[in-house]
Amino acid sequence: MELWIRSQDKRILQKIDNIYLDANYENKRICNYVDDYKTELGTYKTKERALEVLDEIQNKINLINLGYDFGSPMIDLKNPTYIYQMPED
């Protein structure tokens, strides 16, 4: 499974390795961790909103994986790509 994410500010396009919610700050940051390097992909005002975004990413990954199980990627026809754009807050 390969999923790429474009950051909120659109400056970063990164293959996802280990994505996580860093909630130790006032704004809740979603980050990707690759080779001992953390990249911030988006920030949200609440933990709940950040978790909603992580749920969207999880659903995208599940659709991609489901497609591989059946021989062709099953992706959202409204956004037919393996690139997920981080939404605004």
Side-chain angles (χ1 to χ4, degrees):
M1 189 283 308
E2 262 190 39
L3 179 67
W4 291 71
I5 291 186
R6 184 117 189 221
S7 62
Q8 268 179 339
D9 64 8
K10 299 179 179 41
R11 294 183 312 121
I12 299 168
L13 182 62
Q14 189 172 58
K15 183 178 172 187
I16 295 308
D17 192 26
N18 295 298
I19 192 166
Y20 66 96
L21 170 62
D22 189 351
N24 293 326
Y25 298 90
E26 182 176 328
N27 285 324
K28 311 313 175 214
R29 305 181 313 172
I30 294 179
C31 301
N32 187 38
Y33 191 76
V34 180
D35 297 330
D36 297 328
Y37 183 74
K38 176 172 66 173
T39 302
E40 182 179 311
L41 299 171
T43 60
Y44 300 94
K45 292 179 183 171
T46 67
K47 181 179 178 182
E48 291 74 23
R49 176 61 179 139
L51 289 172
E52 286 175 5
V53 172
L54 282 178
D55 287 344
E56 289 176 15
I57 294 168
Q58 178 180 337
N59 289 337
K60 183 83 162 182
I61 292 169
N62 286 340
L63 284 174
I64 293 168
N65 286 336
L66 183 63
Y68 283 127
D69 290 344
F70 289 100
S72 64
M74 295 175 65
I75 53 180
D76 183 358
L77 295 177
K78 294 178 186 173
N79 186 19
T81 180
Y82 297 120
I83 299 173
Y84 179 84
Q85 172 66 52
M86 294 297 284
E88 297 298 320
D89 194 18

